[in-house]
Amino acid sequence: MVSGESMYAWVPLISTAPVQVKERQCDTPVGCIRYSQDTGNKMIIQYGEVTEDIETPVLGEVKAQYAPQLKQVGQAVLANTFAAVKRNILIKVKIVPYGA
C-alpha cells in the first residue's frame, strides 16, 4: 500500500517496546523506516514526498547505498496495488549497528 510516497507493509510483529522517537510522516526524510502500532502493525518506508501528518515511531533508515532504488521500488509497489494480478514484493529488514 502507498500513501503519498511511503510504502506500507504489514508485519507479523507486535511490539510493546517504549517508543524512542516519533516524527510526523510529512517531516521525515527519504529512506526513513517507521513502525506503526497504532494503525495496524505495519512497517513504513519513505521513498519520496508525503503529506500525511500523523506521527509514527522511527525505527531507522535505509542504507544510503540503496536510497537511489527507493523511488523505483515504491512505484512498483503502487503499480502492483492496482494490478489485476498481484505479485509478492518482499522487503528484507536487517538490524545494523549504528554507524556500520
Side-chain angles (χ1 to χ4, degrees):
M1 187 187 259
V2 177
S3 172
E5 292 184 321
S6 277
M7 297 176 276
Y8 295 79
W10 278 267
V11 294
L13 171 76
I14 297 177
S15 174
T16 58
V19 173
Q20 301 295 317
V21 177
K22 268 186 161 183
E23 285 188 20
R24 293 184 334 150
Q25 291 184 18
C26 57
D27 296 335
T28 57
V30 170
C32 182
I33 301 174
R34 301 180 299 274
Y35 174 70
S36 178
Q37 296 162 287
D38 295 335
T39 60
N41 293 318
K42 61 187 172 231
M43 182 175 50
I44 305 162
I45 302 173
Q46 184 109 358
Y47 71 90
E49 184 179 349
V50 172
T51 57
E52 180 72 51
D53 63 355
I54 188 171
E55 283 191 341
T56 50
V58 175
L59 291 180
E61 62 187 16
V62 172
K63 291 186 92 172
Q65 69 198 59
Y66 300 112
Q69 300 168 359
L70 285 176
K71 187 76 127 178
Q72 180 182 6
V73 173
Q75 290 170 344
V77 170
L78 180 59
N80 193 56
T81 300
F82 297 104
V85 177
K86 309 283 189 229
R87 60 188 174 95
N88 290 331
I89 298 175
L90 303 176
I91 298 170
K92 181 179 178 181
V93 178
K94 180 178 174 182
I95 297 173
V96 178
Y98 183 74

